[in-house]
Amino acid sequence: MSTALIIVDIQNDYFPNGKMELSNPEKGAANAAKVLDWFRQNHKDNIFHVQHIASDPGLGFFLPDTEGVEIHEAVLPLENENIIIKHFPNSFLQTELESKLKEKKVTKVVIVGMMTHMCIDATVRAAVDLGYETTLIEDACATRDLSYQGKVVSAEMVHYAFVSALESMYCNVNSTEEFLQQKS
């Protein structure tokens, strides 16, 4: 039984001056880096960095060959770590992520990254649907304000709405501190 870390879309466009700035991405990235450090010490062969590269320029961010598409310095991959390129919110859709996890006999995944309401939600649900025991490190994620019919939903409420939905019936949810304490 093996555990893998999946780091989803912690990329420059989500940070200040990026093309899709999130609310407090630095905090999420710093916590993701703590989880990454733990994996580097304990499961160094099972680290997967997922990088979204827009296949449609209309997306407006994560455009190929831009600084914004690059993985953020807080979680830069080491030479031996896997980088999975994706073009959809779901990190498993039309990528090699599932086959690489199977190759390494992974049965449990820990997920961190950005945006909570989109790629994290899609990836967590896909991981569970594919049979992986899934843990989401909620404070190692970030999202942004959303609006619908003139009503603005704060990033904090968006985040907690999605995390609470996932935790209620889908996956284990921990804070960075809870995760690291369980593992020590």
Side-chain angles (χ1 to χ4, degrees), residues 110-154:
V110 175
I111 298 175
V112 300
M114 300 174 182
M115 293 188 284
T116 309
H117 75 277
M118 185 60 66
C119 298
I120 296 304
D121 182 63
T123 298
V124 165
R125 290 177 185 275
V128 172
D129 290 348
L130 291 168
Y132 294 99
E133 185 180 319
T134 303
T135 299
L136 173 64
I137 309 298
E138 67 88 8
D139 61 354
C141 298
T143 195
R144 62 193 303 253
D145 293 352
L146 296 178
S147 63
Y148 177 70
Q149 294 189 348
K151 293 180 177 42
V152 175
V153 183
S154 72

Short mmCIF file of all heavy atoms in Angstrom, two decimals, residues 110-154:
data_model
loop_
_atom_site.label_atom_id
_atom_site.label_comp_id
_atom_site.label_asym_id
_atom_site.label_seq_id
_atom_site.Cartn_x
_atom_site.Cartn_y
_atom_site.Cartn_z
N VAL A 110 -2.76 12.12 -1.48
CA VAL A 110 -2.90 13.35 -0.72
C VAL A 110 -2.87 14.47 -1.76
O VAL A 110 -1.96 14.52 -2.59
CB VAL A 110 -1.75 13.51 0.30
CG1 VAL A 110 -1.83 14.86 1.00
CG2 VAL A 110 -1.78 12.37 1.31
N ILE A 111 -3.88 15.35 -1.70
CA ILE A 111 -4.02 16.38 -2.73
C ILE A 111 -3.92 17.77 -2.11
O ILE A 111 -4.54 18.05 -1.08
CB ILE A 111 -5.36 16.20 -3.49
CG1 ILE A 111 -5.36 14.84 -4.21
CG2 ILE A 111 -5.58 17.34 -4.48
CD1 ILE A 111 -6.67 14.48 -4.89
N VAL A 112 -3.13 18.61 -2.76
CA VAL A 112 -2.99 20.03 -2.41
C VAL A 112 -3.03 20.82 -3.71
O VAL A 112 -2.79 20.27 -4.77
CB VAL A 112 -1.66 20.31 -1.66
CG1 VAL A 112 -1.56 19.50 -0.38
CG2 VAL A 112 -0.45 20.03 -2.54
N GLY A 113 -3.32 22.13 -3.62
CA GLY A 113 -3.20 22.94 -4.83
C GLY A 113 -4.27 23.98 -5.01
O GLY A 113 -4.92 24.43 -4.07
N MET A 114 -4.49 24.32 -6.27
CA MET A 114 -5.31 25.47 -6.62
C MET A 114 -6.14 25.18 -7.87
O MET A 114 -5.71 24.39 -8.69
CB MET A 114 -4.41 26.68 -6.86
CG MET A 114 -3.59 27.01 -5.62
SD MET A 114 -2.37 28.30 -5.87
CE MET A 114 -1.62 28.33 -4.24
N MET A 115 -7.26 25.70 -8.07
CA MET A 115 -8.23 26.42 -7.27
C MET A 115 -9.16 25.42 -6.60
O MET A 115 -9.63 24.49 -7.24
CB MET A 115 -9.08 27.33 -8.14
CG MET A 115 -8.33 28.49 -8.79
SD MET A 115 -9.39 29.70 -9.65
CE MET A 115 -9.81 28.81 -11.14
N THR A 116 -9.48 25.68 -5.35
CA THR A 116 -10.32 24.77 -4.57
C THR A 116 -11.61 24.44 -5.31
O THR A 116 -12.00 23.27 -5.40
CB THR A 116 -10.68 25.39 -3.20
OG1 THR A 116 -9.50 25.84 -2.55
CG2 THR A 116 -11.40 24.39 -2.33
N HIS A 117 -12.28 25.44 -5.85
CA HIS A 117 -13.61 25.24 -6.43
C HIS A 117 -13.58 24.64 -7.82
O HIS A 117 -14.63 24.29 -8.35
CB HIS A 117 -14.39 26.56 -6.45
CG HIS A 117 -13.93 27.51 -7.51
ND1 HIS A 117 -12.86 28.36 -7.31
CD2 HIS A 117 -14.38 27.75 -8.75
CE1 HIS A 117 -12.69 29.08 -8.41
NE2 HIS A 117 -13.59 28.73 -9.29
N MET A 118 -12.43 24.48 -8.41
CA MET A 118 -12.38 23.99 -9.78
C MET A 118 -11.49 22.76 -9.89
O MET A 118 -11.96 21.64 -9.83
CB MET A 118 -11.88 25.12 -10.70
CG MET A 118 -11.90 24.79 -12.16
SD MET A 118 -13.53 24.39 -12.82
CE MET A 118 -14.37 25.96 -12.66
N CYS A 119 -10.20 22.93 -10.03
CA CYS A 119 -9.30 21.80 -10.28
C CYS A 119 -9.13 20.90 -9.06
O CYS A 119 -8.98 19.69 -9.21
CB CYS A 119 -7.96 22.30 -10.80
SG CYS A 119 -8.16 23.16 -12.38
N ILE A 120 -9.17 21.46 -7.86
CA ILE A 120 -9.07 20.61 -6.67
C ILE A 120 -10.34 19.77 -6.54
O ILE A 120 -10.27 18.56 -6.34
CB ILE A 120 -8.81 21.47 -5.41
CG1 ILE A 120 -7.45 22.16 -5.51
CG2 ILE A 120 -8.90 20.63 -4.14
CD1 ILE A 120 -6.27 21.23 -5.74
N ASP A 121 -11.49 20.40 -6.65
CA ASP A 121 -12.75 19.67 -6.58
C ASP A 121 -12.80 18.56 -7.64
O ASP A 121 -13.09 17.40 -7.32
CB ASP A 121 -13.93 20.63 -6.77
CG ASP A 121 -15.27 19.95 -6.66
OD1 ASP A 121 -15.59 19.42 -5.57
OD2 ASP A 121 -16.01 19.95 -7.67
N ALA A 122 -12.48 18.88 -8.88
CA ALA A 122 -12.53 17.90 -9.96
C ALA A 122 -11.54 16.76 -9.73
O ALA A 122 -11.85 15.58 -9.96
CB ALA A 122 -12.26 18.58 -11.30
N THR A 123 -10.34 17.08 -9.27
CA THR A 123 -9.31 16.05 -9.06
C THR A 123 -9.63 15.16 -7.88
O THR A 123 -9.46 13.94 -7.95
CB THR A 123 -7.93 16.73 -8.91
OG1 THR A 123 -7.64 17.44 -10.13
CG2 THR A 123 -6.83 15.72 -8.63
N VAL A 124 -10.10 15.76 -6.77
CA VAL A 124 -10.47 14.95 -5.60
C VAL A 124 -11.58 13.98 -5.98
O VAL A 124 -11.51 12.78 -5.68
CB VAL A 124 -10.89 15.85 -4.41
CG1 VAL A 124 -11.62 15.05 -3.34
CG2 VAL A 124 -9.68 16.55 -3.82
N ARG A 125 -12.61 14.47 -6.62
CA ARG A 125 -13.75 13.60 -6.99
C ARG A 125 -13.31 12.49 -7.93
O ARG A 125 -13.71 11.34 -7.79
CB ARG A 125 -14.88 14.43 -7.58
CG ARG A 125 -15.55 15.31 -6.52
CD ARG A 125 -16.65 16.19 -7.11
NE ARG A 125 -17.18 17.09 -6.11
CZ ARG A 125 -18.15 16.78 -5.25
NH1 ARG A 125 -18.68 15.57 -5.28
NH2 ARG A 125 -18.57 17.66 -4.37
N ALA A 126 -12.45 12.82 -8.89
CA ALA A 126 -11.95 11.80 -9.82
C ALA A 126 -11.11 10.76 -9.09
O ALA A 126 -11.25 9.55 -9.34
CB ALA A 126 -11.14 12.46 -10.93
N ALA A 127 -10.27 11.19 -8.17
CA ALA A 127 -9.42 10.25 -7.42
C ALA A 127 -10.29 9.27 -6.64
O ALA A 127 -10.05 8.06 -6.66
CB ALA A 127 -8.49 11.01 -6.47
N VAL A 128 -11.32 9.79 -5.97
CA VAL A 128 -12.22 8.92 -5.21
C VAL A 128 -12.96 7.98 -6.16
O VAL A 128 -13.06 6.77 -5.90
CB VAL A 128 -13.21 9.76 -4.36
CG1 VAL A 128 -14.28 8.88 -3.73
CG2 VAL A 128 -12.44 10.54 -3.29
N ASP A 129 -13.47 8.52 -7.25
CA ASP A 129 -14.19 7.68 -8.22
C ASP A 129 -13.30 6.58 -8.79
O ASP A 129 -13.79 5.50 -9.14
CB ASP A 129 -14.74 8.54 -9.37
CG ASP A 129 -15.88 9.45 -8.93
OD1 ASP A 129 -16.42 9.25 -7.81
OD2 ASP A 129 -16.23 10.36 -9.71
N LEU A 130 -12.00 6.82 -8.87
CA LEU A 130 -11.07 5.82 -9.39
C LEU A 130 -10.61 4.84 -8.30
O LEU A 130 -9.81 3.95 -8.57
CB LEU A 130 -9.85 6.50 -10.03
CG LEU A 130 -10.16 7.25 -11.33
CD1 LEU A 130 -8.98 8.13 -11.73
CD2 LEU A 130 -10.52 6.26 -12.44
N GLY A 131 -11.09 5.02 -7.08
CA GLY A 131 -10.82 4.06 -6.02
C GLY A 131 -9.68 4.41 -5.09
O GLY A 131 -9.28 3.59 -4.26
N TYR A 132 -9.14 5.61 -5.18
CA TYR A 132 -8.04 5.99 -4.30
C TYR A 132 -8.59 6.49 -2.96
O TYR A 132 -9.55 7.26 -2.94
CB TYR A 132 -7.17 7.09 -4.93
CG TYR A 132 -6.46 6.61 -6.16
CD1 TYR A 132 -6.95 6.89 -7.43
CD2 TYR A 132 -5.30 5.85 -6.05
CE1 TYR A 132 -6.31 6.42 -8.56
CE2 TYR A 132 -4.65 5.38 -7.18
CZ TYR A 132 -5.16 5.66 -8.43
OH TYR A 132 -4.53 5.19 -9.55
N GLU A 133 -7.97 6.06 -1.87
CA GLU A 133 -8.27 6.65 -0.57
C GLU A 133 -7.66 8.05 -0.62
O GLU A 133 -6.45 8.18 -0.79
CB GLU A 133 -7.68 5.82 0.56
CG GLU A 133 -8.06 6.32 1.93
CD GLU A 133 -7.46 5.49 3.05
OE1 GLU A 133 -7.43 4.24 2.92
OE2 GLU A 133 -7.00 6.09 4.04
N THR A 134 -8.49 9.06 -0.46
CA THR A 134 -8.07 10.42 -0.77
C THR A 134 -8.13 11.32 0.45
O THR A 134 -9.11 11.33 1.19
CB THR A 134 -8.98 10.99 -1.89
OG1 THR A 134 -8.91 10.11 -3.01
CG2 THR A 134 -8.55 12.38 -2.30
N THR A 135 -7.05 12.09 0.63
CA THR A 135 -6.98 13.12 1.67
C THR A 135 -6.72 14.46 1.00
O THR A 135 -5.81 14.58 0.18
CB THR A 135 -5.85 12.81 2.68
OG1 THR A 135 -6.14 11.56 3.31
CG2 THR A 135 -5.75 13.90 3.73
N LEU A 136 -7.51 15.44 1.36
CA LEU A 136 -7.33 16.80 0.90
C LEU A 136 -6.75 17.62 2.05
O LEU A 136 -7.29 17.60 3.16
CB LEU A 136 -8.67 17.40 0.47
CG LEU A 136 -8.67 18.90 0.12
CD1 LEU A 136 -7.79 19.17 -1.10
CD2 LEU A 136 -10.09 19.38 -0.12
N ILE A 137 -5.66 18.32 1.80
CA ILE A 137 -5.07 19.21 2.79
C ILE A 137 -5.65 20.60 2.50
O ILE A 137 -5.18 21.31 1.61
CB ILE A 137 -3.53 19.23 2.74
CG1 ILE A 137 -2.97 17.81 2.77
CG2 ILE A 137 -2.98 20.09 3.88
CD1 ILE A 137 -3.29 17.01 4.01
N GLU A 138 -6.70 20.95 3.24
CA GLU A 138 -7.51 22.12 2.86
C GLU A 138 -6.78 23.45 2.95
O GLU A 138 -7.05 24.35 2.16
CB GLU A 138 -8.83 22.14 3.62
CG GLU A 138 -8.74 22.38 5.11
CD GLU A 138 -8.75 23.83 5.50
OE1 GLU A 138 -8.97 24.72 4.66
OE2 GLU A 138 -8.50 24.09 6.69
N ASP A 139 -5.87 23.60 3.89
CA ASP A 139 -5.19 24.89 3.99
C ASP A 139 -3.94 24.95 3.11
O ASP A 139 -3.18 25.92 3.15
CB ASP A 139 -4.88 25.27 5.44
CG ASP A 139 -3.95 24.28 6.14
OD1 ASP A 139 -3.62 23.22 5.57
OD2 ASP A 139 -3.57 24.57 7.29
N ALA A 140 -3.76 23.94 2.28
CA ALA A 140 -2.70 23.94 1.27
C ALA A 140 -3.34 24.14 -0.11
O ALA A 140 -2.87 23.65 -1.12
CB ALA A 140 -1.91 22.63 1.33
N CYS A 141 -4.46 24.87 -0.09
CA CYS A 141 -5.22 25.18 -1.30
C CYS A 141 -5.55 26.68 -1.29
O CYS A 141 -5.38 27.35 -0.28
CB CYS A 141 -6.54 24.40 -1.33
SG CYS A 141 -6.35 22.60 -1.36
N ALA A 142 -6.04 27.17 -2.41
CA ALA A 142 -6.49 28.56 -2.50
C ALA A 142 -7.54 28.65 -3.60
O ALA A 142 -7.58 27.82 -4.50
CB ALA A 142 -5.33 29.50 -2.79
N THR A 143 -8.36 29.69 -3.50
CA THR A 143 -9.38 29.94 -4.52
C THR A 143 -9.59 31.44 -4.64
O THR A 143 -8.75 32.23 -4.20
CB THR A 143 -10.68 29.16 -4.21
OG1 THR A 143 -11.50 29.14 -5.37
CG2 THR A 143 -11.43 29.72 -3.04
N ARG A 144 -10.70 31.86 -5.22
CA ARG A 144 -10.95 33.28 -5.45
C ARG A 144 -12.42 33.58 -5.24
O ARG A 144 -13.24 32.67 -5.16
CB ARG A 144 -10.51 33.68 -6.85
CG ARG A 144 -11.26 32.96 -7.94
CD ARG A 144 -10.63 33.11 -9.32
NE ARG A 144 -10.49 34.48 -9.72
CZ ARG A 144 -11.24 35.08 -10.64
NH1 ARG A 144 -12.17 34.41 -11.27
NH2 ARG A 144 -11.05 36.34 -10.94
N ASP A 145 -12.73 34.88 -5.16
CA ASP A 145 -14.13 35.29 -5.09
C ASP A 145 -14.84 34.84 -6.37
O ASP A 145 -14.25 34.85 -7.46
CB ASP A 145 -14.26 36.82 -5.01
CG ASP A 145 -13.72 37.41 -3.71
OD1 ASP A 145 -13.39 36.65 -2.78
OD2 ASP A 145 -13.65 38.65 -3.64
N LEU A 146 -16.10 34.47 -6.22
CA LEU A 146 -16.93 34.14 -7.38
C LEU A 146 -18.18 35.00 -7.33
O LEU A 146 -18.54 35.52 -6.27
CB LEU A 146 -17.33 32.66 -7.35
CG LEU A 146 -16.21 31.63 -7.47
CD1 LEU A 146 -16.79 30.21 -7.38
CD2 LEU A 146 -15.46 31.80 -8.78
N SER A 147 -18.84 35.15 -8.46
CA SER A 147 -20.11 35.89 -8.45
C SER A 147 -21.11 35.18 -9.34
O SER A 147 -20.75 34.50 -10.32
CB SER A 147 -19.91 37.33 -8.91
OG SER A 147 -19.46 37.36 -10.24
N TYR A 148 -22.35 35.32 -8.95
CA TYR A 148 -23.46 34.75 -9.71
C TYR A 148 -24.65 35.68 -9.56
O TYR A 148 -25.02 36.04 -8.43
CB TYR A 148 -23.80 33.35 -9.20
CG TYR A 148 -24.97 32.71 -9.89
CD1 TYR A 148 -24.86 32.29 -11.22
CD2 TYR A 148 -26.18 32.54 -9.24
CE1 TYR A 148 -25.94 31.72 -11.87
CE2 TYR A 148 -27.27 31.96 -9.88
CZ TYR A 148 -27.12 31.56 -11.20
OH TYR A 148 -28.21 30.99 -11.85
N GLN A 149 -25.21 36.10 -10.68
CA GLN A 149 -26.37 36.99 -10.70
C GLN A 149 -26.18 38.20 -9.78
O GLN A 149 -27.06 38.56 -9.00
CB GLN A 149 -27.64 36.23 -10.36
CG GLN A 149 -28.00 35.21 -11.41
CD GLN A 149 -29.36 34.58 -11.20
OE1 GLN A 149 -29.99 34.73 -10.16
NE2 GLN A 149 -29.82 33.86 -12.22
N GLY A 150 -25.00 38.78 -9.86
CA GLY A 150 -24.73 39.99 -9.11
C GLY A 150 -24.39 39.79 -7.65
O GLY A 150 -24.14 40.75 -6.93
N LYS A 151 -24.39 38.55 -7.21
CA LYS A 151 -24.04 38.26 -5.81
C LYS A 151 -22.60 37.76 -5.77
O LYS A 151 -22.24 36.84 -6.48
CB LYS A 151 -24.96 37.20 -5.23
CG LYS A 151 -26.40 37.68 -5.07
CD LYS A 151 -27.25 36.58 -4.49
CE LYS A 151 -28.67 36.97 -4.23
NZ LYS A 151 -29.37 37.75 -5.17
N VAL A 152 -21.78 38.37 -4.90
CA VAL A 152 -20.38 37.98 -4.77
C VAL A 152 -20.25 37.01 -3.60
O VAL A 152 -20.78 37.26 -2.51
CB VAL A 152 -19.47 39.20 -4.55
CG1 VAL A 152 -18.03 38.77 -4.29
CG2 VAL A 152 -19.54 40.13 -5.76
N VAL A 153 -19.57 35.91 -3.85
CA VAL A 153 -19.28 34.92 -2.81
C VAL A 153 -17.78 35.04 -2.53
O VAL A 153 -16.97 34.87 -3.44
CB VAL A 153 -19.65 33.50 -3.26
CG1 VAL A 153 -19.40 32.50 -2.14
CG2 VAL A 153 -21.10 33.43 -3.74
N SER A 154 -17.43 35.33 -1.29
CA SER A 154 -16.02 35.53 -0.96
C SER A 154 -15.22 34.25 -1.16
O SER A 154 -15.74 33.14 -1.05
CB SER A 154 -15.87 35.99 0.50
OG SER A 154 -16.14 34.90 1.38
#
